[in-house]
Amino acid sequence: MDVLVPPDFTLLNSGVFEGVVELNSNVETSIAAERLLLKAAGPVAPGHFSFDTYHRLNVLYEHLEALALNHSDIAETFDMAGTTYEGRVIKAMRITHNISNPESETKPMIWIDGGIHAREWVSPATVTYIIHTLLGLKEEEKREEVEELLGMFQFVVAPCLNPDGYEHTQLERLWRKTRKPSGCAGGGEKNWFGGCFHGACFGADPNRNWGTEYWNTTGVSSNPCSIVYPGAAPFDQENTRIVKTYLESKRDVLKIYLSYHSYSQLFLTPLGYSDTIVTEHQAHYQRIGRMVVDAIGGRHGTKYTAMRAANLYPHSGSSGDWAHLELGIVDAYTVELRDEGRHGFELPADQIRATAEENVDGLLALIQNSLYYTQNNSAIPDFYQMGPSTLKIPNALFKENRRRICDRLTEKNVPAKSVIFLEGGRQETEYDSDRDTEFQQESYFMWMFGVMEADFAGAVDVDTCTSYLFMPRYPESYAVWMGDLKTPDFFKARYGVDSVFYYDEINATFTDLQPSLLLRLSGANIYSGANFSTPSVEGIIPDDIPLNDAILYPEMAELRSIKTEEEMKVMRYVNQISCEAHKEVMKMMGPGKMEYEGESTFRHYIYMKEGMRFMGYTAICASGENSAILHYGHAGEPNDRMVREGDMLLFDVGGEYAGYTADITVSWPASGTFTDNQKFVYNTCLKANRAVIEVMKPGMTWFDMNRLCEVTILEEFMKEGLLVNGTLDEMIEAGIDDLFFPHGMTHYIGLDVHDAATTRNSSLVTLQQGMVVTVEPGVYFPDILLDAAYKDPEQSKFLNWDRIAGFRGMGGVRIEDVVAVTETGAELLSHDLPRTVEEIEEFLKEWKD
């Protein structure tokens, strides 16, 4: 407890009070020094706002207007509707990317305020410093993470919620309340003229004036002269009513409420009115509290303490309680700034900057550790989302897949009471080391459950489609190394399944279920030929349950080849972002660059901008002759060549999100302009690509697609004089098409880059609505094949070697797109790319210019 007493209060040192520590021997002197400093600061010229002194309200407001003018691309000021009792406005600043776009007002909102108590001068100063940080001003420390947050959120920052009281502190430095007349002192006795006999009282505590059902119940006084007088009624103070009206209008987007006060060095979590009620979010508050105070202390070593607001002292009517109880904002916090009492409300101005710096760190820690939580106002999201600006994938996607396999198996007349049992991927270490591999979920398990974590198993009752997950049971020490231990209830809500048990409870669960047949996955991948690792159930489930390893695999594989509309949304998203990343690579690559720089740019873009941690396959980033190596980029050829003038570049790279992947190849000239030979090869490849896409529709076979591609390429070669002395059929019979186009034209794509299906035999695969496949013609000049053809008279006779010599050494061109089969045709998912020669040259010229 801090007590202010007159200098001649002799009892202080009389021994009557124990444990007394003198914090400030002369408050009046401190106030006088503070006023001298404020006066010496004088008018503030534009661009010269200082955090080495405190400022008057008019200076602060003028500075906000100047900042908004100079940063109009991301900031705007506004006056909230209404004025205070003394006629002042409450000015705020909104900060976000693309602020002129009306859609920016629909972003999740973070509210930050200060100055609700007039005497707490360091509060408006700190909040103004936060504005500087969000704007990235040159004189302030730039923060990389702020750029990302401005894309995700809109910040609304109000440095002074009590402008009347703040201005009055120029006369009464320790004034706390508003300035509206509130009654008479001395029990309210009035004189003959209706005035106050013992003097008038002014103002109410603006942090006791917020109306909830607990208003005026604790931590308040009915005496209108008291500093904790809550007002005659909730929101009877103009400033609280103004802010309340604004925040209520933003309740649909408001996600974080944060109010800065002083002093005590505390991070206060809900609730304030009772120290006995434990909220359902207490575990979350404890975690956030640890993160915030650790971040604050990491800057200057200042020790803050996280606690429930009521543990400081119970108090009703606070803005934080109102935001939490009335608006439903889970993340509603109050920060008590420096210090712990040495200077109290008169914190020296030379501590403003350090106070603000450490609290910027605390603010960023708060936001970054509650992104999912704040965006959805729920402790457990029922969807996958890497970040607020990334695609949200609902659990309904995986629930629909479970329904599809249950319906399919029912149609196949599997025995009643059959149960599917799947094992998820295991967390492995690299070779004999203790270093974990970067875990990615096994694709069939992902398709059915959407589980991101390792070491899970799952089951589905075919008759009812009831779903079960089995999670690992970790020791308590796991939390130290890997984070909080989640409960079965958490995973039940997170993944939308019917029940979650521990892995060691599988036997008991199956004993209760008594399935007639246990269906397991077993089969060979159509691309790799590798057999699926069928889970062993020995000792895990009861021995008397019959097993079947033949039924499930082909049915699930076939279903995976047909995408649902929810899956299609993910495929559109991952291809769109991959197209954007490809364009970023095209902008920066050129002669003198290393191939791996392009790979790095792609990886950086998809992860930083859209949270794609992985790529769908090993990046092929080839230049010059390397572009004729079909799977370049492996460990022996790690994208390590320097790009040279005259090279063609071939980048085959795709991002991955929640397991779903893109597979896009872009080819372009390093110089920005195609040579005649490069233009011919590129146009030939593009013509084949577009010819196939234009005719794709349900009922077309893969064989027809491949043949159209081959014929288009050979016809163009014949027109250009590279092929001579024969017909198309004769050349195809001799394998000439395989010399220049030595790979398949299409494959399934989805949860794997070469996605699951029952066959890849081009004569047997017929396009169906919902299939997603690649269209990837290529034209190459690989020495190893051409040298062999030169020695083979059955092939050499068709080749114009003099004409071909001009193309050798250029490598090749591949144009690969991802295409979805629709009811009547095809949808190009990788559409947002410059593809024609003219589009590519114009795109590259624009960025070079």
Side-chain angles (χ1 to χ4, degrees), residues 647-649 667-675 678 840-841 844:
D647 280 348
M648 279 295 291
L649 299 172
S667 300
W668 74 100
S671 66
T673 304
F674 289 86
T675 65
Q678 289 171 347
I840 290 171
E841 290 184 344
L844 296 174

Side-chain angles (χ1 to χ4, degrees), residues 397 400-401 404 562-569 770:
L397 184 156
E400 183 177 2
N401 285 341
R404 292 170 70 201
I562 307 295
K563 306 299 186 284
T564 66
E565 181 52 36
E566 286 294 338
E567 287 181 298
M568 205 67 78
K569 291 177 183 177

Side-chain angles (χ1 to χ4, degrees), residues 158-187:
C160 189
L161 295 195
N162 185 6
D164 293 350
Y166 185 72
E167 275 298 283
H168 187 72
T169 57
Q170 300 301 315
L171 301 175
E172 292 185 68
R173 176 61 182 86
L174 297 181
W175 185 259
R176 168 185 169 102
K177 301 190 291 178
T178 60
R179 290 298 299 162
K180 184 177 184 178
S182 55
C184 295

